[in-house]
Structures are given as C-alpha cells and as structure tokens.
Amino acid sequence: MYQFRKEERLCSKKFLDKLFNNGSSFLVYPFRVVHLREPLPVHYPAQVVIVVPKRRFKRAHDRNLIKRRIREAYRLHKESSLYPFLSEHHIQLLLSLQYVGKEIVDYKVINKKLLAVFGQLAKIYVEDAGKGS
C-alpha cells in the first residue's frame, strides 16, 4: 500500500517533454508544481518526477536529502489525499514537483506543503470539471 513503484515515476522523455512544454504550473512554496492531464500507459492515476536543482544545491547529498524527504511524504499521502480524488474524477496526471526553496527544510514542512499541493490540485480539477458541465 505505502509503496512508490517504478510505474509511478515519470521517466519517459516523451511524457517529460509534453509535461514541461504543455503543462500548467502553480507555486506552493517551496514547491513549483507542473501538471498535465494525460492518458497514461500504466494503471496508476499519476506519474511524478521530483526535481531539486543543482544550481541551488551544489552538493549531491543535499539534493538527495531533499528528494528523499519529498518522496517519503508523497509515498505516505498519495493513497489518502491524491489517488482517491483522481480515481473518482477519472483523471490521469503527469506531475512535476520542483523544489524551489533556498534552504533545506524539515520533513514536517515538506509534508505539510505537499498536502497543500494535493489540495490545490484537487481544487484546480474540481473547477475544471465544473466548467465542463
């Protein structure tokens, strides 16, 4: 249940290009989120890529620490906060979580902000569904 499988990671160059060229974005500091509705070849409702820029964090161990914390928060909350909403509305999503903060923050902050990201995504797609009706 609380797993983060290979099929949930966005690795396809084709999908990455499509996401960054055609996707919409918003900011929930310290995350910049790029999202795009797209039919996926896997049975998971979302594929995600986590980005921490080398320009801002020169040391690999700092980037890895941040990515580890983001992956853990995503892994724990996707089943309760993201997937039920996406499945209910039949949405398949490409998602990029880009860390734009200038310092390394605690896991608690990342956890709280990732839940805010999921709430913002739900709000966006509920509004889209309302416009389509």
Side-chain angles (χ1 to χ4, degrees):
M1 181 175 159
Y2 293 113
Q3 296 178 340
F4 188 47
R5 298 186 182 276
K6 171 75 172 163
E7 294 84 23
E8 295 175 86
R9 298 170 197 251
L10 181 53
C11 301
S12 166
K13 177 115 172 77
K14 181 177 92 173
F15 282 139
L16 283 167
D17 288 343
K18 197 178 279 192
L19 173 64
F20 289 114
N21 291 330
N22 304 329
S24 302
S25 67
F26 62 89
L27 186 72
V28 175
Y29 191 82
F31 295 113
R32 179 175 179 264
V33 180
V34 181
H35 59 96
L36 178 67
R37 281 182 84 156
E38 182 72 23
L40 299 174
V42 295
H43 67 273
Y44 292 101
Q47 283 191 332
V48 67
V49 61
I50 297 168
V51 181
V52 180
K54 189 174 185 177
R55 174 182 286 179
R56 200 158 278 155
F57 297 97
K58 302 290 187 203
R59 296 190 173 136
H61 63 86
D62 290 337
R63 293 191 302 275
N64 293 339
L65 173 68
I66 295 167
K67 286 191 280 189
R68 239 187 340 266
R69 288 177 178 175
I70 295 169
R71 272 196 309 267
E72 181 67 6
Y74 180 84
R75 181 184 72 83
L76 290 176
H77 295 294
K78 67 181 178 179
E79 294 286 337
S80 60
S81 301
L82 182 65
Y83 283 6
F85 171 78
L86 294 176
S87 297
E88 178 184 322
H89 291 85
H90 306 292
I91 296 172
Q92 290 186 315
L93 195 63
L94 298 176
L95 186 64
S96 166
L97 298 172
Q98 300 171 347
Y99 189 84
V100 295
K102 290 180 174 35
E103 64 280 334
I104 300 171
V105 295
D106 288 339
Y107 172 75
K108 289 180 184 180
V109 174
I110 288 176
N111 200 21
K112 182 176 142 190
K113 294 298 185 168
L114 196 63
L115 287 173
V117 165
F118 291 162
Q120 184 72 21
L121 282 170
K123 183 178 171 186
I124 288 169
Y125 286 108
V126 163
E127 288 174 2
D128 282 354
K131 289 178 188 174
S133 299

